[in-house]
Amino acid sequence: MDNQDILERIKALVEEEHGLREGSAQPGAGTGAPDLLRLQQVEEQLDQCWDLLRQRRAKKDYGENPDEAEVRPVSEVEGYQS
């Protein structure tokens, strides 16, 4: 997976995230529980994609092989402090 593939995946996930947010905000949409679960999954996948892209760019900047970057577990990516 190269940077362009990752960016395309991010775009698709953002579109899905927006659709989920718009769908759960509409009246009569039901409880929204399944949508909330999927929304959480999409947000976690987005964080993983952004992390992978940052890893790839950092490796390239430091003369390393960007293809050696790996997707980190959600527990690790979600545990980062701002």
Side-chain angles (χ1 to χ4, degrees):
M1 184 178 269
D2 65 14
N3 290 4
Q4 188 59 40
D5 293 333
I6 297 168
L7 288 168
E8 288 172 14
R9 177 73 178 138
I10 288 171
K11 181 181 176 188
L13 287 167
V14 167
E15 288 174 5
E16 182 177 357
E17 179 185 30
H18 289 170
L20 288 167
R21 289 187 188 282
E22 290 170 7
S24 64
Q26 295 184 11
T31 63
D35 289 342
L36 291 178
L37 177 60
R38 180 60 189 147
L39 183 59
Q40 179 182 352
Q41 292 170 339
V42 168
E43 289 172 345
E44 290 169 348
Q45 289 175 18
L46 271 168
D47 289 344
Q48 286 179 302
C49 286
W50 281 117
D51 177 67
L52 180 59
L53 188 61
R54 282 190 294 271
Q55 284 184 65
R56 289 181 56 82
R57 288 175 174 169
K59 285 187 175 292
K60 182 179 180 198
D61 288 348
Y62 286 93
E64 297 178 26
N65 183 354
D67 293 333
E68 293 176 357
E70 295 182 3
V71 176
R72 297 181 210 203
V74 170
S75 60
E76 185 175 342
V77 174
E78 293 297 311
Y80 292 153
Q81 299 293 318
S82 300

